Amino acid sequence: KRSEEDLRFQAMLLQSQSEASIDGILNVDHQGEILWSNRRFAEMWGIPQEVLLSRSNEAVLQLMQSKVLNPEAFLEKARALLSLPDTWSRDEIHLKDGRVFDRYSGPVQNAESNCLGRIWLFRDVTDERKLQASLVQSDRLASMGMLAAGVAHEINNPLTYILYNLESLSKELPLHASRLAQVRGALVECLGEEDLIAL
């Protein structure tokens, strides 16, 4: 009797933990038929309770398949994992409504390592992916800003040199123009205007 009470307590504890999980949890037997799922799984996928109570894996798979962007790949992966009882898997599923689920699956084994079925865990990682995309965009903008600053610096150096030389020329040009006018005047006096032009 004590053992039965312990088993009931363990079962209740396990169910309470599963129901409190942020992950959607689905357990299937080795033939793929549904053994148990938590409330979060039904909420995430929008699966009616009567469909889950029917324990029809095909009905649940069809509903799930109707919500994902790539239904063929989704179904192919699910069936492949059901046929490979010892395989662990983790990937991402993109849904038509824009959400992203992290999908994890592993075998359920007894003490003798015999496969009893498979557990599927689904976690909504949409906000994390949006944040990552935002950080990537921020990094790109920061890189572009650094690149623009570097280009501006590289352009600024030769421009500064050119502006400095133009400024020097603008100061010296009147002096050179004045000396040139004096030299021309002296040449006109010596040679005359016509002979200077002829040169």
Side-chain angles (χ1 to χ4, degrees):
K1 193 170 182 179
R2 172 85 179 173
S3 295
E4 286 176 11
E5 286 177 12
D6 285 347
L7 278 174
R8 274 197 298 273
F9 177 76
Q10 292 294 329
M12 183 272 303
L13 190 62
L14 182 60
Q15 185 168 358
S16 298
Q17 289 172 342
S18 297
E19 287 297 345
S21 175
I22 62 169
D23 297 328
I25 303 170
L26 175 68
N27 281 338
V28 296
D29 65 18
H30 63 282
Q31 293 174 326
E33 293 305 306
I34 295 171
L35 296 173
W36 183 85
S37 63
N38 69 350
R39 195 177 311 117
R40 179 74 177 129
F41 172 78
E43 289 169 0
M44 288 174 76
W45 287 99
I47 298 174
Q49 201 60 36
E50 59 270 15
V51 174
L52 287 170
L53 289 173
S54 73
R55 299 196 181 280
S56 169
N57 191 40
E58 284 304 313
V60 170
L61 271 175
Q62 282 180 355
L63 277 170
M64 294 169 78
Q65 199 179 353
S66 70
K67 298 177 186 292
V68 298
L69 278 178
N70 193 343
E72 293 81 19
F74 174 84
L75 190 59
E76 184 181 325
K77 180 78 177 245
R79 291 211 165 119
L81 287 171
L82 285 171
S83 68
L84 300 166
D86 295 332
T87 304
W88 299 82
S89 173
R90 185 172 185 183
D91 61 345
E92 278 190 358
I93 303 168
H94 295 264
L95 279 71
K96 291 176 182 174
D97 62 9
R99 290 180 297 161
V100 181
F101 289 171
D102 185 37
R103 172 173 61 179
Y104 171 82
S105 181
V108 175
Q109 298 172 325
N110 63 13
E112 291 79 36
S113 297
N114 296 322
C115 183
L116 304 177
R118 182 164 284 280
I119 187 166
W120 302 83
L121 303 173
F122 299 91
R123 179 171 290 183
D124 190 339
V125 292
T126 308
D127 291 339
E128 291 172 37
R129 295 301 170 264
K130 284 180 182 175
L131 181 60
Q132 286 173 350
S134 174
L135 289 173
V136 167
Q137 181 67 14
S138 296
D139 284 349
R140 284 186 186 149
L141 289 173
S143 297
M144 285 176 63
M146 288 174 61
L147 180 64
V151 168
H153 179 72
E154 292 303 316
I155 291 172
N156 194 33
N157 283 344
L159 277 179
T160 302
Y161 176 76
I162 291 167
L163 288 172
Y164 173 76
N165 285 328
L166 285 174
E167 191 179 314
S168 296
L169 277 174
S170 68
K171 288 179 183 174
E172 294 176 13
L173 197 58
L175 177 63
H176 291 302
S178 160
R179 286 187 184 156
L180 190 58
Q182 288 174 356
V183 169
R184 189 176 188 286
L187 286 172
V188 167
E189 279 182 29
C190 291
L191 300 174
E193 186 76 33
E194 291 177 8
D195 289 341
L196 182 62
I197 292 170
L199 283 177

